[in-house]
Amino acid sequence: DAVSLSNLQRQVIHDTGGIGRPKVDSAAAAIRRLNPHVAVEQHGVRVSAQNALDLIAGYDIVADGSDNFATRYLVSDTCYFAEKPLVTAALGTFDATLTTIRAHERAADGKPNPTYRCLFPEPPPPGSVPACAEAGVLGALAGVIGSMMALEIIREIVGFGENLVGRLVMIDARAMRFETLRYGWDPDNPLSGEKPAIKDLS
């Protein structure tokens, strides 16, 4: 994807000078300006069932802030098969959610940890949830959930506090309300349930 003017109110890693540039180039340049000692690997491709496993193979943790359901399900399924932890966040016009998925592991009680498909068994019908470009997004809310996502990733790396496995943080910006919903493994989920129907990314 390329940087567009409409991105700038919520994607603060880009600026007006980056409009028209590939986002991976603009983001990498911004990171290097902030700290030239950070190693940046750019992947200027769309994630697909064919390349997803290769893309995440070299990383210890995956962060997903994608803006469509097909990508969210694909990334989550990929992390399950690759046995990688996933921190995933989603943004609506006035609301946001955040959770951590470690579906390749088991909880202290021996039950499998939940998958993204345990939380959201199926994506909503096409067209029922407007995209960011159609509905608009509160730019400051993107910053809030992005910072919380970064904090959760740091907590995952260093093992600090209680992670968000099996817990979904929900933010309602209209009421300035934060809630946490608990969810668990669904034995009927098609990925890691008792009779899994999804055997690979195809």
Side-chain angles (χ1 to χ4, degrees):
D1 197 7
V3 179
S4 66
L5 183 63
S6 64
N7 298 147
L8 302 185
Q9 54 94 10
R10 68 187 182 280
Q11 297 179 17
V12 296
I13 200 163
H14 308 297
D15 58 23
T16 52
I19 292 174
R21 289 181 71 188
K23 286 183 178 177
V24 290
D25 293 345
S26 175
I31 292 167
R32 289 186 184 107
R33 283 194 303 271
L34 286 169
N35 186 345
H37 303 293
V38 173
V40 178
E41 277 192 41
Q42 296 174 229
H43 303 283
V45 297
R46 287 197 180 275
V47 66
S48 69
Q50 290 71 41
N51 66 17
L53 284 167
D54 288 337
L55 284 173
I56 71 166
Y59 300 97
D60 297 319
I61 189 166
V62 176
D64 178 29
S66 57
D67 64 354
N68 65 83
F69 289 99
T71 303
R72 287 181 206 153
Y73 282 89
L74 174 59
V75 170
S76 177
D77 291 352
T78 302
C79 288
Y80 173 74
F81 288 119
E83 299 185 354
K84 305 272 186 182
L86 168 66
V87 177
T88 180
L91 191 62
T93 305
F94 300 108
D95 59 282
T97 59
L98 172 67
T99 192
T100 295
I101 311 252
R102 285 180 166 270
H104 58 286
E105 297 174 348
R106 291 184 174 266
D109 63 4
K111 286 185 180 178
N113 282 335
T115 69
Y116 189 78
R117 292 177 182 276
C118 295
L119 181 59
F120 301 110
E122 295 180 358
S128 63
V129 178
C132 294
E134 300 167 10
V137 168
L138 206 59
L141 181 58
V144 169
I145 198 66
S147 294
M148 290 177 65
M149 189 179 193
L151 178 59
E152 179 64 3
I153 292 164
I154 292 167
R155 283 161 27 93
E156 279 291 305
I157 292 169
V158 301
F160 168 72
E162 179 188 359
N163 64 23
L164 289 178
V165 173
R167 297 190 298 145
L168 179 72
V169 174
M170 300 175 290
I171 303 173
D172 179 350
R174 286 171 290 202
M176 197 53 84
R177 185 173 63 227
F178 288 68
E179 293 184 36
T180 302
L181 170 97
R182 290 198 174 269
Y183 65 98
W185 175 67
D186 178 2
D188 294 325
N189 92 75
L191 184 65
S192 67
E194 293 174 342
K195 296 179 181 177
I198 300 172
K199 308 286 187 177
D200 55 43
L201 296 179
S202 63

